[in-house]
Amino acid sequence: MVLFVVLIGFQTFSLPGQFAHMAQESPEHAYLRWPLTAVTVFWVLCVQVVIVSTWQLLNMVKNDRIFTEASLKWVDLIVWAIGAGWAVLVGVFLYVGFNADDPGGPILLFLLTMGVTVLGLLMVVMRALLRQATTLRTDMEAVI
């Protein structure tokens, strides 16, 4: 909950303020102010979706309702949020990669893209495992 509130403050005040300051300090990069603000706010929104979905899944675990169809919707939401964030990250990586003067930024973005890729694939595997476990539990309850 605290992380979610901190992210809202970050999203509302810190990121727009940071890029406004950047535009004042570097007028030659001022054109990037709004695209960078939009992209970073979107990424924070993706993280917020993952936090809320995880919170809901933890409540389902607490109430012994994790192996239900309802839990699959929350896991799907996590996968979609990670996928959307990944797609924007790939776009940023390609833009920076084709316009960079030194390899530091593109290498960092490449590593970040690979990390998010692994996270997304892990969530796809976890979703498949949850789906199998839900089916098994439903079948076992039908037998009993």
Side-chain angles (χ1 to χ4, degrees):
M1 180 67 168
V2 173
L3 177 60
F4 192 82
V5 172
V6 168
L7 287 175
I8 289 174
F10 192 63
Q11 195 174 28
T12 308
F13 301 111
S14 182
L15 290 172
Q18 173 62 36
F19 294 120
H21 177 71
M22 181 199 76
Q24 288 174 348
E25 294 294 316
S26 302
E28 69 274 7
H29 295 116
Y31 70 97
L32 292 172
R33 175 185 179 184
W34 293 112
L36 287 174
T37 301
V39 166
T40 55
V41 166
F42 177 73
W43 283 333
V44 172
L45 177 65
C46 290
V47 171
Q48 289 170 327
V49 168
V50 170
I51 289 170
V52 169
S53 299
T54 303
W55 189 5
Q56 291 297 321
L57 287 168
L58 288 171
N59 282 332
M60 295 178 105
V61 167
K62 185 174 106 179
N63 297 326
D64 195 29
R65 293 186 46 232
I66 191 67
F67 297 115
T68 62
E69 289 294 321
S71 66
L72 295 172
K73 293 174 186 169
W74 291 107
V75 174
D76 286 342
L77 194 56
I78 292 172
V79 171
W80 279 104
I82 292 172
W86 177 86
V88 172
L89 181 60
V90 167
V92 169
F93 166 64
L94 291 174
Y95 177 80
V96 170
F98 286 118
N99 295 306
D101 293 334
D102 72 77
I107 289 173
L108 181 63
L109 285 170
F110 176 75
L111 292 173
L112 188 58
T113 302
M114 290 301 101
V116 174
T117 301
V118 169
L119 180 64
L121 292 174
L122 177 64
M123 285 309 303
V124 169
V125 170
M126 297 303 287
R127 178 178 61 180
L129 290 172
L130 179 62
R131 191 174 304 278
Q132 281 186 334
T134 301
T135 302
L136 286 173
R137 184 167 183 173
T138 304
D139 292 347
M140 290 298 291
E141 288 174 354
V143 170
I144 296 175

